[in-house]
Amino acid sequence: MIIEYLIIFTLVLALISVKWKRIAYALLSLDSLFFIWFGINQFSLLNYLGVFSIVGGFVWFFSSLFSIFYDHEKWLAPSFITSILGMQIALISSTYLQFLAGYEIMTIPAYFAIGVNRLMKSPAFTFMAFGEFSTVLVLVGFLDAYLQTGSLYFQHVFTYLPLVLVSFGFMIKMGIFPFLVTEWLPIAHGSAPSNLSAILSASMTLIAVYGLTRMAILSPSDIFLGLLLMAIGAFSTLFGSLYSYVNEHVKGLLAFSTVENDGAILASIGLYISYPNHVLSLFALATVTLFVSAHSLAKTGLFLSTGLIQGESISSSNTLKDTFSVVGVVLLTSSMSGLLPTLGGVATWALLESLFMDAFVLHSVLSIIPILVGTIIAMGEGFATAAMIKYVSFTQIFKTSYGKDIRKSAIVLTVGVLVLIAGSLSIFLFPSFISGTNLGVPPGFLLSSRFSSSAFGGIAPFFILFLIPFFSLLLILVFGKPKTRTAEVWNNGREIKDKYTSFAYSNNIRLMLRKLLRTKVLINGVEIAEDIFWIAMLKISRSYIKFSKLIATAYMNSDLRIYMVYMIIAFIVVVLLVVVI
Amino acid sequence: MRMIGQLGEFCLYSDRIEKGICPERETLKKENYRSIQGFTFAYGPSAGGLLESVGIDLDTFGEYISDVKVIPYKIRKVRVKSIIDNSILYVERINGSFSASHTISFITAIEEGLGIEPPYEVKIGRIVEMELERIRNHLIVMQRVVEAAGFSVPSFQLLYLIEKVNRVIAKSFGHRYFYGVNGLGSLRFYEEIKSLEEIKKEYKEIYRGIIDNRIFIDRLQSNGVIVDKEGIGPVARSASFKNDARNDGNYAEIYKELGFSTVTYDEGDAFGRFIVRGEEVEESLRILSSINLHSVEYESKKRNNEGEGIGRVESPSGDLAYYVKVNENIIKEVYLFAPSSYNILAFSSSMVKNIFTDFPFNWESFGIWLSEVGVIFE
Amino acid sequence: MISQIVEAIVQVLGSFLLAPLYVGILDKLKGMVSSRKAQSVFQPYYDIFKLLRKETILPNSSGLIFLYTPYFVLATYILISFVIPVVYPEPVFFTPVVDFLGGALLFSLAAFLKTIEAMESKSNLVALGVSRVMSFNFLGEATLITVFFAVALSTGTNNPYVESHFVLNPSNYLALDHVLASVSFFMLWLFETGKLPVESSGLNELGMIDDSLTYEYSGKPLAILKWGSYLKAYLLGSVLLNVFFLPWGLFTGVLGSIIDVGVMFLKWLLLISIVLILETSLAKFRLFKVQDFLAVALVLSVISLFFSVVGYV
């Protein structure tokens, strides 16, 4: 009950923010803490969906805290809070309609970011077109579920058709291959501010995954749908990470990395849906929540860190940096690269482990799919590491400092440390998989993966977290600290004029994967068809626009843009009415 | 008739000189551009992969080379405009590796200027020097290329062979780099050249071993292609042009007598240059085996007291020419055409559109010596 | 418990202290084959101790990460030496901290840290090398992970110790999936340790791949990084020997663990002699051909995975 009041409180905050945005942000961060508490309560009843609220709470908490020091545009605060309002509605929804309402409200700022901020015609329409398409699919899916159960409440459904429809609807929203456009468009082309990007990228995905997971739990399992989703997820991981690696836009790189993570999450949802056996399916479900947490937290931190960067292109941007931000971003990128003992590392481990367990459990020709999915995801992880090293190097480490902003970097560091420590706590997402041995890892610390009663593998993230610094200290004690003398960095005996660029850093892969990226080496640079999917999507949406233009001119005979704005406003009103009812 | 290059205020052709600037070499032209994505990567002058001090500016947008600029760091003044005997000492030391070629070309130019005709035996002696120098330098170039490929065994074997050749030279001429060997009126020679047969045998074995390695060949093939009709040295010969001062330079007649045949290859890439060098070593060894040499003292009978002359010989990396204006015993003017000046141009043009890791192979395959490029005579 | 702690200590010290020796032996033999007198087999130790005494030249504007991450890198390798069968054929103390896949991820962690610390030097030459290292990362990492899973799928557990017992049986040892995985892992090992035909360390800066990561280092951190890379080569090589090539011959028990150090020495002499042939008869691939080399390794390991689950239907 309290939680409904919380929603109304958020709504009020959205209104307050028009005038007093700092106060609104501060109150919003408190509001988010309540959501964490709500999620913990939910999870303690063994409801995996609670994890989404916990993670959402953390994301909102950090980004609203960050916004207090960051916000500089007028329209930003209301749309930021509106987006969070939408997510909150979706997360506490008990009916399909409530969920859909929240789902649409949360997207409004994205429309805003593209449509109002830049007034670029075709990207906005493309995004709108796919947004609508996604909603229609989800709506039809829910409708089918309603027809089956006769209830608007989330309930068990009898066929997997609603799940299929809903899956594809959410996949569009998650920017899954080949719908990459919906993810990076608002961020890269709309050039959304850092805090809003964090919300758009980290938690919009969260809600889509939430919806998908919720429907997956309520639907009968289906091995073929599951394998299909795994395959689609694998390709998203590969292409998302590859495009992220070659991307030169500060936020575009991160947006593509979100696509990559969404792919991995989709693969684990697919594994859950394919239901190889009870134990493994449970492991996969926990992996979904773990992966979502890892991605949302780390990505929030990374998007907030873009608030320290001035400029859009990585090569030419300037960075505010200090020890806090450097360490923070290193931790965040190591988590995004899937390295132990961070949260992302445990998530990657769990995903790969579950995929290969699946291959073993299936033990048939079908095993080829999880094997290939696992291999492709492993390759994706390789690209992701390269992309993350590019990000951390060329925004923090390799750059000389341009100034510092200790308040912002303190928040980035906090999220980084949280991601590191949460790695060790993450094993509690797998309550029935925790064990221990007599070989140094006592009961309660070992997360063992298994598909039956006996263990397949296992890790103890806390021990990694503890042992590596412990051995490092030991080494420092044995070898001592280095005696240092400072000198200019060696550049073949010459002064450094030009510094290595981030474009050059990823150029090797452009040249190596010429066919895949369609690299063209021109006389004055390199061009890649990074956007082949974007071009295809643009074509599709153009014909859609032509179609809607026809209708628009037939009915309204006025400027198309006004029509769009009108549609949005009308939609919000309808949605709000539905929620209140 | 072919163009060779700028010799001071003249343009040197294989059969004449013309006053003025040489026409631009069309094949070596590069488009001038710099991309927005690109930057300049500085390599050298002080780097582990470079033997001499040379700065190289590589314009790149990552691994891919879009333009190259070679900046010599060995600029130095050499006082050759003095008494002939002194100036020879300076010329000897311009580039130790090509010392014989430089000195012989220089002395030939003086002889032409003063109308001196050295005896046949001296000419033969000079050819022996230059061929030994060629063998050593080709081996050095091959060793550098092989080393860049991480091909350790042949690399060390070649180093051993280089040392052996050096010892042969030192034993016969008294100095590894032919210092003090040549003079106007003398050619120092101590003892008969021995153990060439042994070198020949060992060399053949090593060379086959290298050429049989598929991975190594792959590194060189289609790397740094230059097809320049007006080119010089191994660069031109690797692209099937028989440009060689041994055919049309000052000692062409004697080479003809010795049955010299020009080695060519038809690709124009780093591999072609490697093969040309590799086979020229054998050809040089063959020539040397047919010569019996003795120490010679001769009287330099001057026919005129002043004059100007050009001496052009084939150094290991291509035509090397001196223009000398001499009056009595004093050098008045000296111009030098150093093969490396052409090779640097050819290198910079061939390096474009390749990638960074091809750089060492291509660079070494030209056999460039920076020390002869940055020389200012005074 | 106590015996397992002792075995762990023997295993870790046996790896840590002897790792440089194997490099020294290989270098000595390589020198001898290329007709040189060659340095002492203890040269790596001399180098390390010399460097430990020297001062460190710190590139200006690089800081704590540059200076202290090398300790973390070496610590990560030390942790790995607890968890995989590199000397002793049974799990020892702390072995359950990570499984085989976790071990692969720890190798990635060390590689990540090495790259980050190198980039902090802000040297263009380092950035050049890092861009190369990273462009092969997707194949390297995927092969490492799949090849470790090749072990898991044939035994149904992601535990290298089980696999090394499993392949003691000749029919399992000669099974196609095991052979393919072994070849794949051997190729990966050549890549990871910078051996020919993939890489060779020389003086040439423009050809650097892994060498660039230590390019700006000197003194103590360089010694530690060197030791780290010796240890890495030892760890991966010993997995190659104990799990893939030569699973036989190891003893158990506290006394057995000490004998195992000697057994490992003999096994390594065999591996060194194979590497010696490759290192002295091959040249270095073109940069972009490295990708093909790794792609072959990856495909082999994936085929091996297919065989291990589909082959026994």
Side-chain angles (χ1 to χ4, degrees), chain C residues 22-44:
Chain C
Y22 299 113
V23 178
I25 294 174
L26 178 61
D27 283 349
K28 172 89 185 172
L29 293 175
K30 249 162 71 182
M32 283 161 70
V33 171
S34 45
S35 44
R36 282 181 296 146
K37 190 165 166 253
Q39 74 274 47
S40 150
V41 290
F42 300 111
Q43 192 61 40

Side-chain angles (χ1 to χ4, degrees), chain A residues 247-461:
Chain A
N247 206 295
E248 272 303 288
H249 191 286
V250 174
K251 288 177 193 137
L253 186 151
L254 296 176
F256 273 121
S257 148
T258 301
V259 174
E260 174 232 328
N261 280 275
D262 287 351
I265 293 164
L266 190 69
S268 49
I269 294 178
L271 183 57
Y272 170 73
I273 292 172
S274 74
Y275 199 81
N277 66 37
H278 180 70
V279 181
L280 186 49
S281 191
L282 195 62
F283 191 82
L285 185 59
T287 305
V288 174
T289 58
L290 174 57
F291 222 109
V292 167
S293 327
H295 169 249
S296 299
L297 284 177
K299 197 44 77 56
T300 305
L302 286 177
F303 268 115
L304 295 182
S305 79
T306 64
L308 295 163
I309 301 165
Q310 282 150 353
E312 291 187 353
S313 146
I314 300 179
S315 291
S316 61
S317 62
N318 289 315
T319 308
L320 304 169
K321 73 168 209 185
D322 49 58
T323 317
F324 279 12
S325 67
V326 170
V327 176
V329 176
V330 167
L331 287 174
L332 291 167
T333 45
S334 65
S335 173
M336 290 304 284
S337 314
L339 300 171
L340 290 171
T342 61
L343 196 52
V346 184
T348 306
W349 174 85
L351 174 63
L352 289 170
E353 202 89 345
S354 55
L355 284 170
F356 286 98
M357 282 196 282
D358 189 34
F360 190 79
V361 170
L362 289 173
H363 234 293
S364 68
V365 182
L366 281 181
S367 302
I368 290 172
I369 291 175
I371 287 174
L372 283 180
V373 168
T375 311
I376 291 172
I377 288 181
M379 282 162 79
E381 286 300 326
F383 282 137
T385 307
M388 284 301 132
I389 284 183
K390 174 175 173 174
Y391 183 80
V392 67
S393 297
F394 291 95
T395 67
Q396 293 286 335
I397 288 176
F398 198 69
K399 282 258 159 84
T400 35
S401 181
Y402 181 71
K404 53 165 97 175
D405 185 337
I406 205 86
R407 288 175 307 185
K408 284 184 200 163
S409 47
I411 294 175
V412 172
L413 178 66
T414 312
V415 185
V417 171
L418 179 71
V419 166
L420 179 66
I421 293 170
S424 301
L425 301 174
S426 66
I427 63 170
F428 296 113
L429 292 178
F430 298 77
S432 47
F433 294 91
I434 298 174
S435 63
T437 64
N438 55 358
L439 285 172
V441 183
F445 285 94
L446 186 70
L447 168 59
S448 52
S449 58
R450 56 192 166 86
F451 51 84
S452 63
S453 55
S454 65
F456 178 78
I459 50 169

